[in-house]
Amino acid sequence: MKIINTTPHEITIINDEMETVATFAPEISVRVASVTKIIGNIQGIPLDTTFFGEVEGLPEYQEGVYYIVSRLVKSALPDRKDLLCPGQQVRNENGQVVGCKSLSI
């Protein structure tokens, strides 16, 4: 089996002992097309809304290949069983995300 990271960030899997189990560098870019429009304002502060479209850049399903994608991409394609998202986040003492404990299906 092969796992391909399509996010713009390196994905690090960390175990309970805070050891790195696996690291996945970004390989391809997959995103959901979007358009943001200003729809009004409150006290002079612009209000916008974003409209999401099609997923772009995701290869067709291939047996034995899994893709790490954003939750937005995964939500847009609920029937794709080959899509994984970073699971439970691991943070350092400063609250910064340093990895995750799992991949979510």
Side-chain angles (χ1 to χ4, degrees):
M1 290 200 209
K2 182 175 184 175
I3 299 174
I4 297 172
N5 179 7
T6 71
T7 73
H9 313 285
E10 184 174 87
I11 303 295
T12 303
I13 311 298
I14 299 173
N15 66 19
D16 289 336
E17 288 75 40
M18 295 299 289
E19 300 166 330
T20 298
V21 174
T23 301
F24 301 95
E27 291 187 50
I28 61 174
S29 178
V30 174
R31 60 184 289 279
V32 177
S34 64
V35 174
T36 301
K37 295 186 179 188
I38 301 296
I39 58 170
N41 72 74
I42 295 177
Q43 296 180 353
I45 301 167
L47 299 175
D48 69 32
T49 189
T50 301
F51 301 93
F52 296 101
E54 299 294 317
V55 173
E56 300 173 340
L58 184 64
E60 294 293 320
Y61 173 83
Q62 297 177 53
E63 184 77 29
V65 178
Y66 291 87
Y67 299 94
I68 301 173
V69 298
S70 69
R71 290 207 182 271
L72 186 60
V73 169
K74 185 154 176 46
S75 294
L77 299 169
D79 295 332
R80 286 280 299 253
K81 303 302 180 201
D82 57 338
L83 304 183
L84 308 169
C85 295
Q88 183 182 0
Q89 295 179 341
V90 177
R91 296 178 182 272
N92 66 15
E93 59 279 352
N94 297 321
Q96 299 165 313
V97 175
V98 294
C100 58
K101 290 188 173 191
S102 61
L103 294 173
S104 296
I105 57 172

